[in-house]
Amino acid sequence: MELPIGRGLDHGLDCIARRNLTIENNQYEVEFWLNEITTDDLYNDTGIYLYMSTDQVRYYINKEHVDLVDVPAIIFSETMRDVDLFVGVASVGNDPEWSDNGGLPQHRDYWQSYSFGDLTEVAKTRKTILKSLLPRLKIKEVAKIEGKFLIVKGTLRTYKIHIGSTNILMEPNDEYLCIVPSGKKDVTEKIFLPFEGDKGLSVILSKAFLLAEDKKIIDSTITSQINRN
């Protein structure tokens, strides 16, 4: 399982990411279809489009297209994990400024759904881990899990961190709080995280620790939002 999914065409036009696997003398090829979004000529200086939309996943056995029910469970499981990682990392839902920065209006519903919608299977696993971690953290008295959110009660506000997207809403009116990672030392680096590779879990904990002591925050881009009437 060493070959990465993501062998699309460099120009971004109608890409098909492919992965080849061999199991029990059968050759499997998996295709993940992608399409460029050409709205407003959104591409960089090298001509590569900035945004892509995802489409279908197709499976072939020995060059023959097969129905999903005929795909071995291990092939399906591994390739779906690749697709999930691709979407999880590349999604515009990860951009905390998407809804306010003039991003494509027709995709704002997707951003909202991704940011605060139902939890994916990966996020459900993250939630389970958070439930076991929370009683051992110093913020345990001011943090709790409710549905798809980690609720953190600060001095100034109460915050709802979405366990899937890591985006934040502030009570009482569910105002959106934009916190962009600074690239500084991660405050959770000394905390053992039992789900290796889940950066989202680390981000959630970092935000929770920060907001639990919201009165100590000095970053004006954050305090101006928290103190907004």
Side-chain angles (χ1 to χ4, degrees):
M1 312 297 286
E2 295 179 355
L3 292 177
I5 195 165
R7 293 182 169 182
L9 305 176
D10 288 341
H11 54 63
L13 296 173
D14 297 324
C15 292
I16 298 178
R18 293 182 174 87
R19 184 169 184 180
N20 297 301
L21 301 163
T22 301
I23 291 184
E24 298 178 351
N25 297 320
N26 286 317
Q27 298 293 322
Y28 294 86
E29 183 175 41
V30 186
E31 293 183 348
F32 181 27
W33 289 27
L34 306 161
N35 298 289
E36 81 285 0
I37 294 178
T38 59
T39 304
D40 298 327
D41 296 324
L42 293 173
Y43 50 82
N44 63 22
D45 294 338
T46 62
I48 297 177
Y49 284 99
L50 301 179
Y51 303 106
M52 304 291 295
S53 63
T54 57
D55 200 331
Q56 60 191 290
V57 178
R58 285 193 175 191
Y59 292 87
Y60 298 85
I61 300 178
N62 300 323
K63 304 297 184 180
E64 295 290 331
H65 178 254
V66 294
D67 293 331
L68 192 59
V69 294
D70 296 319
V71 177
I74 189 172
I75 296 288
F76 179 77
S77 175
E78 288 298 322
T79 53
M80 284 297 103
R81 180 177 183 275
D82 283 340
V83 170
D84 182 72
L85 287 172
F86 177 90
V87 174
V89 171
S91 174
V92 296
N94 293 321
D95 182 355
E97 299 179 323
W98 176 264
S99 64
D100 299 319
N101 69 357
L104 304 176
Q106 65 269 40
H107 298 295
R108 284 180 184 156
D109 287 344
Y110 166 78
W111 183 91
Q112 185 69 27
S113 174
Y114 181 96
S115 296
F116 304 111
D118 294 337
L119 299 182
T120 64
E121 293 305 312
V122 170
K124 289 177 183 177
T125 300
R126 185 182 298 160
K127 178 180 178 179
T128 299
I129 294 170
L130 276 171
K131 283 182 177 179
S132 66
L133 279 177
L134 205 53
R136 291 176 271 170
L137 301 178
K138 70 175 185 178
I139 60 172
K140 63 183 179 181
E141 300 300 330
V142 296
K144 62 181 178 179
I145 294 175
E146 287 187 0
K148 52 197 175 186
F149 294 97
L150 173 62
I151 311 296
V152 179
K153 184 173 178 58
T155 302
L156 304 175
R157 290 255 201 159
T158 295
Y159 309 90
K160 299 161 62 177
I161 306 174
H162 191 269
I163 297 173
S165 68
T166 79
N167 288 333
I168 307 166
L169 297 174
M170 298 183 290
E171 293 185 353
N173 301 317
D174 280 350
E175 295 175 84
Y176 176 64
L177 173 61
C178 177
I179 297 180
V180 180
S182 66
K184 294 182 180 179
K185 196 173 185 180
D186 187 354
V187 299
T188 67
E189 67 175 6
K190 294 183 180 180
I191 298 176
F192 170 69
L193 300 179
F195 190 27
E196 183 179 358
D198 185 6
K199 183 180 178 182
L201 181 57
S202 179
V203 171
I204 288 172
L205 291 174
S206 295
K207 290 180 176 180
F209 279 109
L210 175 71
L211 296 172
E213 298 184 327
D214 56 1
K215 206 168 183 179
K216 296 181 180 180
I217 298 174
I218 59 175
D219 187 327
S220 60
T221 61
I222 299 176
T223 57
S224 62
Q225 297 176 78
I226 293 175
N227 296 322
R228 184 170 52 205
N229 294 324

